[in-house]
């Protein structure tokens, strides 16, 4: 059937349903990341988590010699921080003001690991444990 064979009201309902479905698909993809600052009070680092895969990265502000603006320094996922089993992950900060890392928790299994920047080169996470 062609769209022109429907009444004006039916066409409107069809188009409305199409746009609502398109918006729902976009909304499902939105909000897939969570961000959390490291609890260390003298560190301006923010961790990024893909809530579906558990992948963790981090960025921080850095000074650039000869520039008043500075740069964003980002650390890619390294050992243990790369995408893993599809689940539902979250980040949790400890209340320890000297802690530069964060906890990655699997909300479905209860497993946890600690993620931190190693040697200013990549984010690494410990093996998951309960």
């Amino acid at each position: 059937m062609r769209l022109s064979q429907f009444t004006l009201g039916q066409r409107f309902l069809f188009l409305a349903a199409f746009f609502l479905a398109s918006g729902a698909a976009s909304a499902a993809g939105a909000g897939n990341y969570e961000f959390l600052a490291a609890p260390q009070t003298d560190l301006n680092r923010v961790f990024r988590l893909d809530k579906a895969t558990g992948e963790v990265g981090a960025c921080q502000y850095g000074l650039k010699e000869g520039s008043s603006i500075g740069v964003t320094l980002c650390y890619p996922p390294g050992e243990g921080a790369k995408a893993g089993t599809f689940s539902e992950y979250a980040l949790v900060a400890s209340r320890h003001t000297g802690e530069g890392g964060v906890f990655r928790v699997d909300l479905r299994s209860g497993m946890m690991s600690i993620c931190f920047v190693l040697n200013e080169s990549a984010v690494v996470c410990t093996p998951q444990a309960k």
Side-chain angles (χ1 to χ4, degrees):
M1 295 182 105
R2 294 187 318 211
L3 190 58
S4 62
Q5 294 173 322
F6 293 98
T7 67
L8 183 59
Q10 289 171 323
R11 282 187 253 172
F12 174 77
L13 288 175
F14 173 79
L15 291 173
F18 173 78
F19 286 117
L20 282 174
S22 296
S26 296
N32 197 40
Y33 291 95
E34 181 178 327
F35 300 89
L36 183 67
Q40 187 174 334
T41 57
D42 63 346
L43 183 64
N44 62 4
R45 184 171 294 151
V46 174
F47 287 87
R48 179 195 70 247
L49 169 76
D50 183 314
K51 295 190 296 187
T53 67
E55 182 179 90
V56 181
C59 293
Q60 70 184 50
Y61 174 77
L63 298 174
K64 184 176 180 181
E65 195 171 311
S67 174
S68 60
I69 296 175
V71 295
T72 303
L73 303 170
C74 291
Y75 306 101
E79 184 177 342
K82 294 182 179 173
T85 306
F86 184 80
S87 190
E88 186 179 354
Y89 296 92
L91 293 176
V92 177
S94 71
R95 292 185 157 203
H96 191 278
T97 58
E99 180 61 58
V102 295
F103 291 85
R104 176 182 58 191
V105 297
D106 184 330
L107 298 172
R108 293 182 185 168
S109 70
M111 301 289 278
M112 291 189 223
S113 57
I114 310 293
C115 301
F116 55 95
V117 174
L118 181 64
N119 299 328
E120 300 298 317
S121 63
V123 176
V124 297
C125 297
T126 61
Q128 290 188 335
K130 245 185 192 180

